[in-house]
Amino acid sequence: MKKLEIAVELRKEGKLKESNEILISLVKEYPNDPIVNYQCAWSFDVLGLEANAVPYYEKAILIGLPDKELQGAFLGLGSTYRTLGQYEKSKEVLEQGLVKFTENRAMKVFYAMTLYNLNEYSKAMEILLYNLAQTSSDENIQNYRKAIEFYSDKLNEVW
């Protein structure tokens, strides 16, 4: 679909409004295309119009997306709900995504942010610390990796 490729390219070039306008017209033309709905949601997100993105993310997920786009849609919708202050919905969406994509570290980080907003500080810190220890290439972090991983879920314990 040539128009879709153009819209994605415009977004990459920073022409966000133009990209969004094309995607809105594509959704009208192909209302049940999951990729078009997903890209349209994304186009609203990058414009800072998160509330407008929600129905497109929801529809794209409902219709069904290939795994790569589905990961992005779960992360995008979960993050969008969080920025809108809908923390329980954010948690639910991100948990659904993490069931299917257990190794998606970006989704885990966004999930930790949501947990923070829900005052689940210990669990949020555990996720962040563990992922930091697992992914950091910083020599000092790696020198203490085992300790960081060990303490990640024991922050409230005193020895």
Side-chain angles (χ1 to χ4, degrees):
M1 191 179 310
K2 188 69 176 164
K3 281 184 177 179
L4 181 60
E5 291 172 23
I6 292 168
V8 171
E9 190 56 38
L10 286 169
R11 182 176 59 230
K12 288 177 184 175
E13 293 171 3
K15 298 175 181 169
L16 305 179
K17 187 70 178 145
E18 296 94 324
S19 174
N20 176 257
E21 289 167 359
I22 292 170
L23 289 161
I24 290 169
S25 72
L26 280 172
V27 166
K28 289 177 184 167
E29 197 173 341
Y30 304 99
N32 293 313
D33 185 305
I35 301 288
V36 170
N37 276 277
Y38 169 59
Q39 291 293 335
C40 190
W42 188 350
S43 76
F44 279 115
D45 255 353
V46 297
L47 285 170
L49 301 170
E50 287 85 355
N52 294 14
V54 169
Y56 297 102
Y57 278 132
E58 289 176 338
K59 189 168 187 180
I61 291 168
L62 184 66
I63 295 169
L65 288 162
D67 279 356
K68 181 180 177 191
E69 289 81 4
L70 185 57
Q71 287 184 68
F74 275 123
L75 198 152
L77 181 58
S79 173
T80 295
Y81 277 140
R82 192 189 73 77
T83 63
L84 295 172
Q86 297 179 32
Y87 305 128
E88 289 296 339
K89 282 186 176 182
S90 174
K91 182 179 180 182
E92 180 182 317
V93 167
L94 292 168
E95 285 176 344
Q96 288 172 9
L98 286 168
V99 165
K100 185 158 177 58
F101 305 106
T102 56
E103 298 306 311
N104 187 313
R105 291 192 190 275
M107 201 175 310
K108 289 177 183 180
V109 170
F110 279 87
Y111 180 62
M113 287 188 259
T114 295
L115 293 177
Y116 171 87
N117 291 123
L118 289 167
N119 301 323
E120 295 181 38
Y121 306 120
S122 292
K123 186 67 178 170
M125 282 296 293
E126 175 186 344
I127 292 167
L128 290 175
L129 288 170
Y130 186 81
N131 280 281
L132 173 68
Q134 290 283 309
T135 61
S136 178
S137 60
D138 182 276
E139 183 181 340
N140 292 313
I141 298 286
Q142 286 307 305
N143 288 339
Y144 292 95
R145 177 180 173 178
K146 286 184 180 179
I148 293 169
E149 288 175 357
F150 176 78
Y151 290 118
S152 69
D153 65 347
K154 299 169 184 63
L155 294 175
N156 291 319
E157 292 186 29
V158 177
W159 280 269

